[in-house]
């Protein structure tokens, strides 16, 4: 919804808040078989993608999300070789994953090919690693793909999905987490964007309970800023098989052979620090 023609506004219903960006114009709009995808040019945030009226990605702040969805888990797993990205059609997470020299194969499974094709046009910098021989781009339903994946075939699963409404809803179900658990090898890890700790604790609680029920031995939520998402404070929740989430390959982070703009060892440690209200809530979830 727009306040006037120069502003895009997403109202966060039920929260008494909204987020706006000043736009210069609409560059593209498509109704795919799954969702409505709109690309704007903005005055100060570069290109801006919206799916079904929800903010997805801007040129200016996407590095926060893409780095935090990939580097903490990849530097926690001892030797991540096989990675799956469920959703992630803008390809920014794939680009970060492929920066890791241990990764031999990264498969991205997004339900909607149009998100990727529009990203190639409007966010070419996010798609610059799509031609990497280790990258495989598939267009399919993530839950179907995960449930059909050979047992113990993956080291890390990154769920870079839309919100739990529309086609993304199935990616927040116990059935999906069970599929992830089976597809992961020993000490395998899944990470999923888990919305705002300020506004969506019920989603995070459900995720913690479902991951535990699916058999994950350790479950942790990490926090990071994300200006364009509701409340500006975002989270990702990690589940791990047969191992702890605390602790990571700090020496490898220090000597990483690539640049990051947000992520480093201090950010990793800080992102895992649990705010008091969150700690108390988790204790109540058993
Ligand atoms: N960073 C964004 C956020 O948190 O709002 C997510 C961006 S990414 C563009 C989300 C992607 O999830 C979309 O491209 C969408 O097509 C994909 N998606 C939604 N449901 C899916 C499903 N069931 N299987 C695979 N991909 C799905």
């Amino acid at each position: 919804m727009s306040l006037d023609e120069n502003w895009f506004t997403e109202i966060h219903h039920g929260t008494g808040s909204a987020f706006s960006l000043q736009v210069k114009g609409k560059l593209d709009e498509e109704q795919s078989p799954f969702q409505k995808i709109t690309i704007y040019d903005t005055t100060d945030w570069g290109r801006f993608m919206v799916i079904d009226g929800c903010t997805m990605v801007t040129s200016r702040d996407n590095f926060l999300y893409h780095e935090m969805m990939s580097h903490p888990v990849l530097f926690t797993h001892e030797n991540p070789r096989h990675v799956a990205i469920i959703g992630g059609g803008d390809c920014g997470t794939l680009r970060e994953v492929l920066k890791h020299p241990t990764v031999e194969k990264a498969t991205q499974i997004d339900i909607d090919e149009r998100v990727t094709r529009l990203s190639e046009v409007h966010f070419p910098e996010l798609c610059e690693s799509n031609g990497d021989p280790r990258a495989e781009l598939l267009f399919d339903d993530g839950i179907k793909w995960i449930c059909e994946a050979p047992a113990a075939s993956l080291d890390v699963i990154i769920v870079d999905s839309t919100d739990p409404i529309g086609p993304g809803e199935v990616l927040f179900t116990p059935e999906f987490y069970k599929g992830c658990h089976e597809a992961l090898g020993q000490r395998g890890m899944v990470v999923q964007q888990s919305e705002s700790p300020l506004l969506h604790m019920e989603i995070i609680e459900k995720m913690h309970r479902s991951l535990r029920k699916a058999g994950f031995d350790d479950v942790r939520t990490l926090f990071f800023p994300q200006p364009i998402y509701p409340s500006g404070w975002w989270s990702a929740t990690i589940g791990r098989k047969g191992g702890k989430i605390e602790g990571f390959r700090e020496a490898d982070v220090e000597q990483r052979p690539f640049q990051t703009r947000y992520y480093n060892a201090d950010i990793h440690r800080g992102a895992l620090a649990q705010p008091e209200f969150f700690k108390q809530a988790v204790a109540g979830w058993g």
Side-chain angles (χ1 to χ4, degrees):
M1 175 192 166
S2 300
L3 288 180
D4 71 41
E5 62 185 25
N6 295 322
W7 288 85
F8 167 90
T9 295
E10 179 188 344
I11 292 179
H12 306 141
H13 292 282
T15 72
S17 61
F19 177 77
S20 296
L21 282 181
Q22 195 172 9
V23 298
K24 291 201 275 191
K26 197 183 275 185
L27 299 174
D28 241 320
E29 185 158 70
E30 277 189 33
Q31 177 64 56
S32 80
F34 305 100
Q35 53 211 353
K36 187 173 175 184
I37 311 158
T38 312
I39 314 281
Y40 294 96
D41 198 10
T42 69
T43 55
D44 295 270
W45 292 71
R47 301 282 167 95
F48 171 38
M49 182 192 287
V50 174
I51 293 184
D52 284 342
C54 296
T55 58
M56 288 289 132
V57 173
T58 74
S59 312
R60 187 166 182 179
D61 77 338
N62 77 78
F63 67 99
L64 297 161
Y65 178 89
H66 290 137
E67 290 185 14
M68 292 307 282
M69 288 297 289
S70 42
H71 302 313
V73 278
L74 290 169
F75 278 119
T76 300
H77 193 283
E78 290 76 8
N79 186 23
R81 294 185 300 133
H82 298 125
V83 179
I85 301 160
I86 307 293
D90 57 65
C91 303
T93 297
L94 178 67
R95 182 186 70 173
E96 296 305 311
V97 167
L98 289 167
K99 288 179 177 175
H100 286 252
T102 60
V103 172
E104 293 170 9
K105 188 170 183 192
T107 307
Q108 176 181 288
I109 309 98
D110 196 294
I111 201 166
D112 193 346
E113 181 167 1
R114 293 311 304 159
V115 175
T116 298
R117 299 302 165 223
L118 286 169
S119 297
E120 285 167 347
V121 174
H122 299 291
F123 296 89
E125 72 283 10
L126 299 184
C127 298
E128 67 190 17
S129 299
N130 290 7
D132 187 307
R134 298 171 296 159
E136 180 180 33
L137 273 69
L138 303 177
F139 300 102
D140 202 350
D141 192 344
I143 189 167
K144 177 171 162 279
W145 189 87
I146 275 293
C147 291
E148 289 171 0
S153 58
L154 296 167
D155 300 307
V156 171
I157 300 170
I158 300 175
V159 192
D160 179 358
S161 67
T162 43
D163 299 337
I165 42 166
E169 195 173 352
V170 292
L171 305 178
F172 291 77
T173 59
E175 186 196 354
F176 176 69
Y177 300 132
K178 205 164 163 288
C180 290
H181 191 267
E182 280 173 25
L184 286 168
Q186 263 310 311
R187 301 176 72 73
M189 302 176 77
V190 59
V191 59
Q192 178 167 28
Q193 72 91 1
S194 50
E195 312 277 313
S196 166
L198 204 57
L199 304 177
H200 307 120
M201 277 298 274
E202 73 293 348
I203 293 175
I204 301 176
E205 174 179 355
K206 216 165 136 196
M207 208 179 273
H208 272 240
R209 290 186 189 278
S210 300
L211 285 165
R212 290 267 183 210
K213 207 165 161 205
F216 287 94
D217 300 294
D218 196 11
V219 179
R220 283 291 289 265
T221 295
L222 58 80
F223 306 91
F224 53 97
Q226 196 63 56
I228 70 162
Y229 293 164
S231 85
W233 189 27
W234 216 240
S235 71
T237 295
I238 304 170
R240 184 162 207 192
K241 262 175 113 163
K244 285 275 170 210
I245 292 161
E246 194 88 46
F248 58 104
R249 294 183 284 119
E250 292 198 32
D252 290 345
V253 175
E254 299 302 349
Q255 290 154 27
R256 62 194 180 282
F258 55 85
Q259 292 206 330
T260 51
R261 288 181 68 196
Y262 184 68
Y263 178 83
N264 58 30
D266 291 337
I267 288 290
H268 189 139
R269 276 186 293 274
L272 281 174
Q274 307 289 285
E276 195 53 33
F277 79 88
F278 197 85
K279 218 190 262 185
Q280 288 177 19
V282 172
W285 302 339

